[in-house]
């Protein structure tokens, strides 16, 4: 197809990097580990944001904004939290530059040293709970249901565009509640919201579960997660929602007067998804010809390409196409009529295939005569000639069908890649040959989990919520186990 | 009215700070100069963002995202630029914390020092033009019309919520063009977009003009601006749009092949508005009773307060109010029915007055009998009893009327505070007694501008675009001048 894209079967990782670059989604910047999100990639992220934001507001949340910087001492007020984040912090130590006396350029002014260093937020629990102390006196002030859209920084050694970058964009919800039960319900609710978003909008099927001790968020009592499976058999954590207990309320002394007049610490949750979702979206559906996007998140849902010689033919085609564009837009369908004469039709076909535009209409002089369009579907690469009369209905129907088809395909792949495994040799072999989720018994200890990771690189992705109790023995230690968990290699 | 709000006439500055706090717009954080934007304040900012974003897209711009960090050396590639920003930079020098050996807590790990320090972006010209070099080869790649919504940091010594904070939220447009003319046209266009937004949506009349040499953006050839006048007679710069010439293209070596096959440096603009607009919005219309918001940017346009005893009465009222709420929402009007029983009606009246909700409907048992509502207008504090039958139309009409009324009021104030001044004694006296814009001749030198600033604290806000040439003598130096400029004390 002339895309010069490495095939997935040859080198999945290289395919991904090339796709991100060639489809104009993002590129590396001059700053280590920080990426530039290009307009086409950002347009997809904006669609994700808009839908998530709507879902957050429908579940009663409001947006707010908290500082980028966190005083160093705040980070260490919750013991587990600082252990989790201290190793990957960007630290601001000075607040001024000046000209070097030797004329060699600009240097950091040693006299402008901060009394206390500031950390660029890796996540905002600490600064937010310091603020909530001022907002919460009584049960009347609860619940607080706040979300923030922001950038965060975690200094990563190995980065990959969208999947792991030093700076990334995300949303972080931070809620405060009267009771433990209400906070747990909130954390579970947001896991369900994330799952619904992933499945209905991204077309990405997910497994809901809880994390083990070693994979839990630093400072959480319970971490709920949604886990997806990519085409190379590796798992990707797509969102997490944490029940924080009273850990941050205690660390920041946030108490409230209960309905009975007592003083109690507040119960908390936090939950987030990030531009990492872009990585999942890209890897889930795309193929060796480029990106495949679900219609619900595609910045351009339909592209129309004229095939003509000279301006007169283009004018005739435009006259037919312009009312169609208008009608499609009135139905909320995002459409682009690419009448640029700087590029040939073949180049455009290639370009929009690479960029995953779900539907392409082409129209040449024969179509003008026959009152038809050539309609091509990106997901199946199939083409059909359709009458211009029913084309709007056909497009509407196909957009729904594509959304459904790519989701089902992803579900089928996922379901055929969850394998029950009962001995460790089989575990190791399957991991190398087939990949995917291995459903296995585990003795519940971190020691066994660590050992399995050391030997196979597989981690426990989650303890699925829908798994039933079942007596068995740990796939590694042979000790008794009551439930299977899901192992996989992961992004 | 029981708001405990300092009166504007007593202490305008204190009134502003109290208002920001009591109306739940924002508060200071634990980090010097960084504020927390609270949900109600952020909801206003979201409405501003949504409208501006729409206007940017309608004028052909796309959004993208560039890194938070800028390598120190980048900042100094454009000479004027570094002089303008080096003195107020947050500098990242390290990327890890560790436990202190003496057990005293967490310290910066001295071994995790960056080879080159990173600056937290004060504005993104440098990192963006470094990126554009990769995006631009030919005239076919131009224009690039990109905007970014982001946080930026300028280390300010004296901060005030929204008006001047070390971290603030903004948008920054960065465009690249084939010709000088096209770039100037773009810079002018964005000034007009800002002016239209300020006047039509914020209800804030502005004067369009260009900055003098000393007030120009660091790195620009020309800075276009919109200037508003606050109720205390001080000016506020509400937005700027810069024609950057080829300065950044030269600093970052960004050339393109022209239509004639030559290599030329690219022409540039940048333009931005920030959360500072929140400060202008708050100060422009509000009064001693609290916030007054233009209906087009009010998160809640209509609040409905029930006046009742007991649940039975509330149920009856709700039965009447719920269909009204539904109808108003179907018309795109944002309405809140505050049926909380934890607060009394009087408390609620006070609260929504303080928060600037444009219209308040109250309904008690007598209104139930008479099929009426009591309708109160926030801007004029006037009340009327209206029939429930025509209430939707009345509300729609009033929202438009309020938007218009507060704008006209602001225009009247502004127009009556532009005074022509022809000698320096009068200049100094008027500045102290009446304030506002002083329209005066100026000899065009930075020396005179600096001297006037030193003597009076007034600066040249702009050289208005609609001022005609007029022969005169400089109000300070007596030297010949061909045009009046606008002086004012400013935020």
């Amino acid at each position: 197809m002339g895309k010069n894209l490495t095939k997935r079967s040859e080198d999945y990782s290289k395919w991904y990097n090339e796709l991100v670059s060639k489809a104009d989604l993002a590129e590396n910047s001059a700053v280590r580990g920080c990426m530039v999100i290009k307009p086409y990639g950002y347009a997809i992220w904006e669609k994700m944001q808009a839908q998530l934001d709507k879902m957050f507001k429908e579940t009663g949340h409001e947006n707010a904004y908290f500082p980028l910087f966190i005083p160093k001492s705040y980070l260490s007020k919750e013991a587990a939290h600082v252990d989790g984040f201290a190793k990957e912090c960007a630290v601001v130590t000075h607040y001024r530059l000046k000209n070097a006396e030797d004329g060699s350029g600009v240097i950091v002014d040693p006299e402008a040293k901060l009394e206390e260093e500031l950390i660029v937020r890796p996540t905002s629990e600490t600064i937010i709970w310091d603020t909530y102390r001022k907002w919460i006196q009584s049960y009347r002030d609860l619940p607080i249901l706040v979300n923030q859209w922001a950038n965060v920084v975690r200094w990563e050694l190995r980065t990959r565009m969208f999947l792991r970058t030093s700076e990334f964009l995300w949303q972080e919800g931070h809620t405060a509640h009267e009771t433990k039960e209400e906070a747990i319900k909130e954390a579970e609710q947001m896991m369900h919201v994330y799952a619904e978003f992933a499945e209905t909008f991204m077309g990405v099927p997910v497994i809901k579960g809880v994390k083990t001790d070693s994979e839990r968020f630093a400072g959480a009592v319970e971490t709920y997660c949604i886990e997806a499976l990519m085409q190379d058999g590796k798992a990707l954590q797509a969102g997490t929602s944490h029940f924080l207990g009273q850990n941050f309320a205690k660390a920041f002394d946030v108490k409230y007067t209960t309905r009975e007049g007592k003083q109690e610490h507040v119960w908390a949750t936090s939950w987030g998804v990030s531009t990492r979702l872009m990585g999942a979206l890209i890897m889930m559906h795309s193929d060796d010809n480029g990106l495949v996007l679900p219609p619900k998140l595609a910045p351009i849902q339909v592209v129309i390409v004229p095939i003509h010689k000279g301006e007169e033919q283009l004018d005739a085609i435009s006259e037919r196409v312009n009312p169609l564009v208008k009608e499609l837009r009135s139905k909320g369908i995002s459409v682009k009529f690419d009448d640029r004469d700087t590029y040939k039709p073949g180049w455009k076909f290639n370009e929009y295939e690479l960029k995953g535009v779900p539907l392409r209409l082409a129209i040449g002089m024969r179509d003008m005569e026959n009152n038809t369009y050539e309609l091509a579907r990106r997901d199946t690469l199939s083409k059909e000639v359709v009458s211009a009369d029913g084309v709007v209905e056909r497009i509407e129907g196909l957009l729904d069908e594509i959304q459904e088809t790519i989701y089902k395909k992803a579900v089928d792949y996922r379901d055929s890649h969850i394998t029950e495994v009962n001995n460790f040799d089989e575990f190791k072999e399957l991991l190398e040959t087939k990949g995917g989720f291995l459903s296995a018994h585990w003795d519940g200890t971190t020691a066994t989990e660590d050992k399995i990771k050391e030997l196979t690189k597989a981690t426990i992705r989650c303890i699925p919520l829908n798994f039933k109790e079942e007596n068995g023995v740990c796939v590694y230690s042979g000790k008794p186990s009551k439930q299977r968990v899901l192992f996989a290699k992961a992004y």
Side-chain angles (χ1 to χ4, degrees), chain A residues 25 39-49 51 197 200-203 278 281 285 291-303 332-336 352-360 378-379 399 402-403 406:
Chain A
L25 301 171
Y40 190 63
Y42 199 83
I44 301 171
W45 176 242
E46 278 184 306
K47 290 209 119 186
M48 290 177 139
Q49 276 191 303
Q51 179 57 37
F197 173 74
T200 309
F201 292 86
M202 297 173 65
M278 289 286 294
L281 185 74
H285 309 296
L291 208 57
V292 173
L293 289 175
K296 287 190 181 179
L297 296 176
I300 306 167
Q301 294 174 307
V302 181
V303 65
I333 295 169
S334 152
V335 53
K336 177 173 177 177
Y352 295 111
E353 240 171 65
L354 195 49
K355 288 193 167 172
V357 175
L359 287 174
R360 178 186 77 221
R378 174 62 188 90
D379 62 328
L399 289 174
I402 294 169
Q403 184 81 31
I406 64 173

Side-chain angles (χ1 to χ4, degrees), chain A residues 72 79 94 112 131 140 168 221-222 231 247 260 317 356 370 392 406 409 412 415 424 469:
Chain A
K72 193 190 67 183
H94 292 75
T131 307
R140 277 193 206 86
F168 56 92
V221 175
E222 187 87 276
Q231 293 182 54
N247 292 349
E260 293 77 34
I317 290 174
N370 298 341
V392 172
I406 64 173
K409 195 177 157 196
D412 287 345
D415 288 351
F424 198 58
E469 281 206 6

